[in-house]
């Protein structure tokens, strides 16, 4: 059976469609959705079967993944991290929601849910109402990774209609939230004594330092 293709507008997402997407996640479904950068693919982190399925789709061995988690706000994210320093917290507060992924030490809640020895977690709070509304209603983070393109020049597919054609037999819902961007988030490792940018993406961290 083909995936649902749902049209949502980031400025004012239809709550009924959000509820439908959340129900899909709660039932172990996989969804594709827009962020403030590229389109992402994800699942409810509390559903072990969904996590396994997501790993299969991405061709990653279970327990070896380095997916990020999408949160609705910093308050929710803080439940899943430990040793969050005041300078890093202030930086996150200034720059989020936004096109950044912050790598932090994972709290005991993460491996307990995922049943893996995961020491770090990638925090994403996109500047897009659609994913934030989904995780707020779900009451769990969404495990997420980017939709990559096999094309050597075009790294990320930006057209949700094309994404749907590629993934309609692998996922349960594709959210059409308009054209995505062709650059992923900037990734900042916050686990050491100094911040380290390990991938320069759409976000410019300098303006918040």
């Amino acid at each position: 059976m083909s995936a649902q293709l749902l049209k949502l507008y980031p400025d004012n997402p239809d709550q009924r469609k959000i509820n439908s997407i959340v129900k899909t996640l709660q039932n172990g479904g996989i969804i594709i959705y827009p962020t403030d950068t590229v389109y992402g693919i994800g699942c409810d982190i509390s559903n072990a079967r969904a996590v396994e399925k997501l790993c299969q789709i991405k061709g990653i061995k279970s327990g070896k993944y380095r997916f990020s988690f999408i949160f609705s706000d910093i308050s929710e994210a803080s439940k899943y991290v430990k040793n969050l320093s005041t300078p890093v917290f202030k930086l996150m507060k200034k720059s989020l929601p936004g096109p950044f992924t912050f790598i932090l030490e994972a709290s005991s809640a993460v491996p307990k849910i995922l049943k893996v020895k995961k020491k770090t977690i990638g925090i994403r709070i996109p500047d897009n109402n659609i994913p934030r509304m989904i995780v707020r209603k779900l009451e769990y983070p969404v495990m997420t990774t980017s939709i990559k393109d096999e094309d050597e020049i075009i790294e990320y597919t930006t057209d949700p209609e094309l994404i749907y054609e590629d993934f309609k037999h692998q996922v349960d819902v594709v959210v059409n939230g308009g054209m995505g961007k062709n650059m992923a988030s900037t990734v900042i490792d916050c686990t050491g004594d100094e911040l380290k940018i390990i991938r320069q993406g759409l976000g410019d961290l300098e303006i918040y330092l």
Side-chain angles (χ1 to χ4, degrees):
M1 191 170 71
S2 296
Q4 279 186 289
L5 180 62
L6 297 179
K7 178 69 177 177
L8 282 173
Y9 297 93
D11 290 342
N12 187 25
D14 186 317
Q15 190 62 58
R16 287 175 300 177
K17 290 181 181 179
I18 293 290
N19 292 343
S20 174
I21 293 165
V22 168
K23 189 173 181 180
T24 296
L25 288 167
Q26 290 171 333
N27 290 333
I30 308 294
I31 66 168
I32 291 174
Y33 47 89
T35 69
D36 52 355
T37 56
V38 300
Y39 266 78
I41 179 171
C43 68
D44 177 355
I45 68 163
S46 69
N47 191 303
R49 285 181 302 161
V51 171
E52 185 68 35
K53 184 179 177 183
L54 183 58
C55 289
Q56 290 174 357
I57 292 172
K58 295 296 291 185
I60 299 168
K61 288 184 180 180
S62 181
K64 300 292 185 182
Y65 41 75
R66 291 188 178 181
F67 298 148
S68 297
F69 295 176
I70 285 185
F71 295 90
S72 58
D73 54 47
I74 296 175
S75 176
E76 282 301 309
S78 65
K79 299 174 185 177
Y80 293 83
V81 302
K82 66 177 182 179
N83 301 327
L84 180 58
S85 69
T86 300
V88 172
F89 174 78
K90 287 181 176 179
L91 177 61
M92 292 174 68
K93 197 170 181 180
K94 284 192 288 185
S95 61
L96 296 175
F100 300 98
T101 301
F102 288 91
I103 307 297
L104 294 156
E105 286 187 65
S107 74
S108 59
V110 176
K112 192 179 294 181
I113 293 171
L114 296 177
K115 298 177 181 176
V116 295
K117 294 179 180 178
K118 194 164 179 63
K119 296 180 180 178
T120 61
I121 178 176
I123 302 292
R124 273 285 275 137
I125 304 176
D127 189 13
N128 186 309
N129 288 324
I130 293 171
R132 295 208 315 275
M133 284 181 68
I134 289 170
V135 296
R136 191 176 297 120
K137 182 71 177 179
L138 181 65
E139 297 183 344
Y140 273 105
V142 166
M143 180 178 281
T144 185
T145 186
S146 302
I147 296 289
K148 287 266 195 175
D149 198 293
E150 307 249 337
D151 192 295
E152 292 182 4
I153 299 173
I154 302 171
E155 190 174 2
Y156 300 98
T157 304
T158 60
D159 188 337
E161 300 279 352
L162 295 178
I163 292 172
Y164 177 77
E165 289 303 316
D166 288 341
F167 286 91
K168 64 183 178 182
H169 298 304
Q170 298 181 67
V171 304
D172 301 280
V173 173
V174 176
V175 178
N176 179 349
M179 294 294 285
K181 295 183 173 67
N182 193 30
M183 186 179 291
S185 64
T186 292
V187 180
I188 307 104
D189 186 344
C190 305
T191 59
D193 294 333
E194 295 184 0
L195 299 180
K196 183 179 180 182
I197 295 178
I198 56 178
R199 182 182 71 194
Q200 181 59 56
L202 191 64
D204 181 7
L205 196 67
E206 289 294 323
I207 64 176
Y208 300 104
L209 296 175

